[in-house]
Amino acid sequence: MKLALAQINPTVGDLRGNTDRVFDFARRADAQGADLVIFPELCLSGYPPRDLVNAAAFLQGGEDQLQRLAEMTRGLGSGLIVGYAGLDMTSGPREAGNCAAYLAGGAIIFRQQKMLLPTYDVFDEHRHFSPATKQSVCEIGGRRVGITICEDAWNDKQFWERSLYARDPVEELAAKGIDLLINISASPYSLYKRGLRLEMIRAAARRHGVPTAMVNQVGGNDHLIFDGSSFAVDAAGNLTARADSFTEDLIFWETEEPGLSGGLHGKQWPAAGSADEHEGVYDALVLGTRDYVRKCGFSKATVGLSGGIDSALTVLIATDALGAENVTGVAMPGPYSSESSVIDARHTAETLGIRFEVLNINGAYRSFESMLAGLFQGAERNIAEENLQARLRGNTLMTLSNKFGGLVLTTGNKSELAVGYCTLYGDMCGGLAVISDVPKTLVYLLARVANKRRPGAISESVLTKPPSAELRPEQKDTDSLPPYEILDPILNLYVEENCEAAEIAEQLGLPLDLVTDITLKVDRNEYKRQQAAPGLRVTSKAFGIGRRFPIAHRFVR
């Protein structure tokens, strides 16, 4: 059997457009002799549809497009496996089902509902869907095929230390006797995820002795980035086909031919746990930025260019995502900005070929100081005057956005957002927080990746100068925070690994009072993070929909 793995980029809610995209890929695969074309999870609706599934018109629209697509297969020699959000088939607690269907010859021949519905991290599928109560085998071309949907393949008790669910759909299908296992997925990207998926599916294929294909969605939808990275393995777990990451792709796999019949034409992915993942993180951020901007109806972006490394990295990502002609960098020097900062900002902009403007905020700052002088009389200068500069810059960028239509991209990193080293309605102003899930130490590594692709865009002075917000004379980040080489491991253990302060201090060999100070800062700044722009997720635990803490609480970990 010749399989085509169709890795596509759907848009949430664009039911007709997504269906047309599926059929376009199906025609291309059919023209190349595919017997079966496999598409990702919820490819007709886009993933995640979230509360759109509560609308009856949305579910009926999905059913209508599925029927329309089935009718379009009359002219194809290939059958299709597609994912869609449709009406629940189980009489379960929800009206909606996360479903897969096999279409061929103008008809819907087989349907399977997703059994394991994840409700952790960024997932909330029990809120939206009813689970399947059984797994059925689909007959395709004389072969017994098991069709699973994403999480259905993530409960192998021999692979994971702890099972999350009582049932294992793959095991149940294997017990029925299958010749081929297919998993259609919308599995979001995070560091090291590509290698983990591959090792997990390899283990299942070897355990059950069944060749397996996983087809994953690609593209950005809100916070989530989907890397694609679809693949197939034989019954011994050997990789037989591999798609590119972070782009649409169509690859083929002859299931009866041994060896690399699918053609491993894409770039090799890093192995599970590999530290060599920085190129992937950069590609993910480019894809996430491009899709967020365009799927939200924008075409241009505006970035505040401070001359620091965070804004330089953000503007490079934006330029790679949208093209230089669609990006504007704005330097907004204030009373404590160094001359070198404007020089560095201009250098980056000119190297990239983007539009660059310098708007000095000194006049506006003096006007505000004059307006507030009577009220502030006798009070010492403090963070109020510092943050006023950041808010003037935020106001300037939002005004330019209103006037010229470019989406403002914020430039704060994960380390700053974690401890509140950012200004509400100032540097946090914008429509998308591009690097809000990138720790500061990773920012430097990604800057090196960006500079390899666009040599010299970030000057060496930006890469080596001490980080500073430049909101008071001679200010440095280390005035308020420990060096990022110390801060980021603390944050990783606290935010991503959920460790307690005492455990972190012991693991890292740091004073407990230092670690406790940082963890308290994280807890106390939840109110800022819940007012931040949506951020792109690239680590295993990002701030936002995957980390839900109360703002007002008094629990101390």
Side-chain angles (χ1 to χ4, degrees):
M1 180 183 289
K2 185 174 183 178
L3 303 185
L5 280 56
Q7 178 175 289
I8 68 168
N9 183 348
T11 298
V12 172
D14 186 8
L15 302 176
R16 174 170 283 273
N18 293 337
T19 302
D20 290 343
R21 196 172 204 85
V22 165
F23 187 64
D24 178 61
F25 271 74
R27 282 189 302 184
R28 289 166 52 192
D30 187 63
Q32 297 182 64
D35 299 303
L36 180 64
V37 193
I38 311 167
F39 291 87
E41 176 183 14
L42 294 185
C43 60
L44 300 189
S45 64
Y47 186 94
R50 304 178 77 177
D51 282 2
L52 288 176
V53 300
N54 294 335
F58 183 81
L59 296 179
Q60 187 58 54
E63 295 284 348
D64 292 346
Q65 290 303 316
L66 182 70
Q67 184 62 54
R68 173 174 167 255
L69 182 62
E71 292 168 359
M72 293 162 75
T73 65
R74 291 184 191 280
L76 299 180
S78 309
L80 314 183
I81 292 176
V82 298
Y84 68 101
L87 298 171
D88 171 44
M89 298 181 287
T90 69
S91 301
R94 306 281 181 266
E95 294 183 3
N98 181 340
C99 304
Y102 170 54
L103 317 176
I108 301 170
I109 296 174
F110 175 87
R111 300 184 194 229
Q112 174 66 54
Q113 200 152 307
K114 188 173 183 177
M115 179 175 284
L116 305 184
L117 302 178
T119 304
Y120 57 84
D121 193 42
V122 299
F123 307 106
D124 204 2
E125 291 196 29
H126 259 295
R127 173 185 174 92
H128 301 119
F129 299 113
S130 291
T133 56
K134 64 178 182 178
Q135 293 288 135
S136 301
V137 175
C138 179
E139 294 282 345
I140 302 177
R143 293 168 177 80
R144 291 173 61 80
V145 179
I147 301 173
T148 59
I149 304 174
C150 204
E151 188 84 354
D152 289 341
W154 288 74
N155 200 43
D156 184 342
K157 58 180 173 289
Q158 294 189 17
F159 185 82
W160 302 103
E161 290 184 9
R162 182 172 67 91
S163 297
L164 294 180
Y165 310 92
R167 299 178 68 174
D168 181 350
V170 173
E171 187 174 62
E172 292 180 22
L173 284 167
K176 294 175 184 288
I178 54 174
D179 304 308
L180 174 67
L181 180 66
I182 290 170
N183 182 264
I184 63 172
S185 285
S187 177
Y189 171 78
S190 62
L191 274 161
Y192 317 125
K193 187 79 169 284
R194 289 178 288 177
L196 174 63
R197 279 193 217 108
L198 177 58
E199 293 307 313
M200 179 190 69
I201 294 297
R202 273 177 160 164
R206 287 192 295 263
R207 177 185 170 198
H208 300 295
V210 179
T212 303
M214 172 181 273
V215 182
N216 192 32
Q217 177 177 299
V218 71
N221 283 321
D222 294 353
H223 305 77
L224 301 181
I225 304 162
F226 300 88
D227 55 285
S229 309
S230 305
F231 62 88
V233 298
D234 63 19
N238 299 308
L239 187 64
T240 56
R242 178 183 60 219
D244 269 331
S245 298
F246 309 110
T247 186
E248 290 188 318
D249 206 355
L250 180 65
I251 62 171
F252 296 87
W253 174 35
E254 292 275 7
T255 59
E256 270 69 46
E257 290 186 14
L260 307 182
S261 61
L264 304 183
H265 70 284
K267 290 189 294 186
Q268 185 171 348
W269 315 324
S274 168
D276 185 25
E277 180 91 350
H278 306 142
E279 295 272 354
V281 176
Y282 188 86
D283 288 335
L285 292 170
V286 169
L287 175 60
T289 301
R290 178 187 300 124
D291 275 1
Y292 188 88
V293 171
R294 293 183 176 169
K295 289 180 180 181
C296 288
F298 292 86
S299 59
K300 299 181 290 185
T302 301
V303 181
L305 267 181
S306 68
I309 193 166
D310 295 326
S311 64
L313 176 61
T314 302
V315 83
L316 261 82
I317 291 168
T319 303
D320 284 341
L322 305 174
E325 69 280 7
N326 293 314
V327 179
T328 298
V330 185
M332 294 165 284
Y336 307 112
S337 300
S338 64
E339 184 179 354
S340 65
S341 292
V342 178
I343 292 172
D344 289 335
R346 186 183 299 278
H347 167 81
T348 295
E350 290 179 350
T351 303
L352 295 176
I354 66 171
R355 180 179 177 181
F356 180 64
E357 302 291 345
V358 179
L359 298 175
N360 195 300
I361 66 166
N362 280 317
Y365 184 66
R366 287 192 296 269
S367 294
F368 264 85
E369 282 193 310
S370 176
M371 181 182 72
L372 295 166
L375 198 59
F376 282 8
Q377 188 172 5
E380 290 187 7
R381 295 179 70 85
N382 64 3
I383 196 172
E385 286 83 1
E386 293 181 18
N387 285 346
L388 175 56
Q389 299 164 74
R391 292 190 174 112
L392 286 168
R393 292 181 174 119
N395 195 18
T396 299
L397 292 172
M398 293 307 298
T399 302
L400 293 175
S401 175
N402 289 161
K403 194 69 173 177
F404 301 113
L407 185 72
V408 176
L409 306 180
T410 73
T411 61
N413 61 65
K414 186 174 189 175
S415 307
E416 295 170 347
L417 193 62
V419 296
Y421 197 67
C422 47
T423 303
L424 278 172
Y425 326 120
D427 56 304
M428 292 177 69
C429 277
L432 178 67
V434 174
I435 61 169
S436 64
D437 196 33
V438 180
K440 185 74 168 189
T441 48
L442 183 54
V443 167
Y444 283 95
L445 296 171
L446 296 185
R448 297 289 185 184
V449 171
N451 255 8
K452 280 198 305 182
R453 300 184 180 195
R454 293 180 178 268
I458 304 176
S459 62
E460 193 63 26
S461 62
V462 174
L463 293 166
T464 57
K465 67 184 176 183
S468 171
E470 294 191 330
L471 297 180
R472 62 174 181 267
E474 304 300 321
Q475 183 185 41
K476 294 181 175 60
D477 289 5
T478 49
D479 296 342
S480 306
L481 302 171
Y484 288 107
E485 293 76 12
I486 294 174
L487 176 64
D488 282 353
I490 297 173
L491 295 175
N492 175 67
L493 289 173
Y494 191 61
V495 175
E496 295 185 46
E497 303 297 330
N498 204 31
C499 295
E500 307 294 337
E503 183 183 358
I504 296 169
E506 182 178 356
Q507 280 196 44
L508 300 178
L510 295 172
L512 179 58
D513 59 349
L514 170 64
V515 175
T516 301
D517 177 62
I518 297 303
T519 58
L520 286 173
K521 281 185 169 69
V522 174
D523 293 345
R524 290 170 180 168
N525 282 285
E526 184 66 25
Y527 78 100
K528 284 190 178 182
R529 292 190 291 272
Q530 292 200 26
Q531 296 182 70
L536 299 175
R537 176 184 182 266
V538 293
T539 72
S540 62
K541 184 63 68 175
F543 296 121
I545 60 171
R547 187 178 185 273
R548 308 175 194 182
F549 279 79
I551 295 173
H553 72 89
R554 294 187 180 180
F555 178 72
V556 178
R557 287 196 277 168

